[in-house]
Amino acid sequence: MHTLIFATNNQNKVNEIQSLVGSDFSIIALKEAGIDIDIPEPHETLQENAAEKANTIFNLTNQNCFSEDTGLEIESLQGAPGVKSARYAGEGRDFQANIDKVLNCLADHNNRNAQFRTVICLIWGNDQDGIQTYYFEGICKGHIATEMHGEKGFGYDPIFIPEGATKSFAQMTMEEKNKYSHRQKAVTQLFEFLRSK
Ligand code: ITT
């Protein structure tokens, strides 16, 4: 059984990843590990922020751990909110304010193409390889709806409709969202890698 700390304070991410974990993995969220810190995300790329979060927790615990950083990248907005997705409308990290800002910014644009991108950073050590850092990426393409639909999920889910679907992520059960999602794609690669170890 692989035991891994998941370096996040976002319970929605924990729930989604727990739903994808096989019985051969045990994922411990920061709260469960008794770690209560606000992990910094100071960088300009998802990869650097993911590394910052994983390194912070590895330095604290000296245990195998992973983190993920996710951004909503909107074509007409040159990739914004991107790495700033959590704080797009300010430090309050308010989901509704962030959605309102996206809808306002897109009001005059016909091109509503967007994608969610997740980058996972894994810090993993064993006797053979020593301690190494690995990255996994998952992308979900789709578009931004003109108004909010549904109440499930979190963040930008009510306005994001994945390619091949007619519903927003917030109108889907977690299992349905997992069929399309950026996070599922990155996490699947993470588990495949770990199973190969
Ligand atoms: P941690 O850093 O503690 O993991 P966070 O909420 O700060 O949690 P991110 O910086 O990766 O995580 O998240 C950026 C924001 O993007 C997040 O707060 C949500 O608003 C949004 N987001 C991330 N994944 C999403 C998803 O699957 N569906 C909708 N919105 C999502």
Side-chain angles (χ1 to χ4, degrees):
M1 159 102 62
H2 290 303
T3 300
L4 281 172
I5 298 182
F6 181 17
T8 183
N9 286 313
N10 183 327
Q11 190 57 39
N12 299 288
K13 291 183 180 179
V14 177
N15 295 345
E16 286 188 11
I17 289 183
Q18 290 285 11
S19 78
L20 296 164
V21 178
S23 54
D24 44 346
F25 294 96
S26 168
I27 304 295
I28 304 171
L30 285 187
K31 212 167 146 196
E32 279 176 79
I35 300 168
D36 181 16
I37 54 165
D38 193 19
I39 315 175
E41 296 177 272
H43 302 290
E44 292 303 317
T45 65
L46 298 174
Q47 181 163 336
E48 288 170 291
N49 278 340
E52 180 87 29
K53 292 188 258 193
N55 280 317
T56 301
I57 298 308
F58 184 79
N59 290 336
L60 262 179
T61 63
N62 216 23
Q63 287 187 50
N64 292 329
C65 65
F66 72 99
S67 67
E68 64 108 287
D69 206 42
T70 295
L72 175 63
E73 300 173 335
I74 301 176
E75 230 170 71
S76 298
L77 305 181
Q78 289 73 48
V83 73
K84 306 280 179 235
S85 291
R87 298 176 174 80
Y88 193 38
E91 283 304 311
R93 306 169 64 102
D94 180 331
F95 289 160
Q96 185 63 55
N98 287 339
I99 286 178
D100 291 344
K101 184 166 177 187
V102 166
L103 292 178
N104 280 335
C105 290
L106 278 183
D108 297 329
H109 292 276
N110 292 326
N111 175 1
R112 303 183 76 90
N113 292 340
Q115 64 180 25
F116 273 114
R117 193 157 64 88
T118 292
V119 175
I120 288 180
C121 174
L122 168 71
I123 301 182
W124 173 259
N126 62 17
D127 292 343
Q128 205 182 342
D129 306 323
I131 294 161
Q132 303 276 355
T133 301
Y134 304 91
Y135 295 95
F136 307 91
E137 184 182 78
I139 289 176
C140 175
K141 289 184 184 292
H143 72 274
I144 304 297
T146 50
E147 54 188 43
M148 293 172 64
H149 300 281
E151 276 155 19
K152 299 188 195 47
F154 69 103
Y156 298 94
D157 281 345
I159 55 168
F160 186 82
I161 302 177
E163 230 170 60
T166 50
K167 294 193 282 191
S168 79
F169 270 161
Q171 292 172 302
M172 298 182 184
T173 61
M174 199 184 291
E175 289 67 32
E176 281 180 283
K177 179 178 172 182
N178 282 343
K179 284 187 204 148
Y180 299 94
S181 100
H182 42 295
R183 184 160 297 105
Q184 175 274 127
K185 289 175 184 153
V187 166
T188 300
Q189 292 172 53
L190 168 70
F191 293 154
E192 274 171 11
F193 171 82
L194 290 171
R195 283 192 182 103
S196 74
K197 285 282 148 192

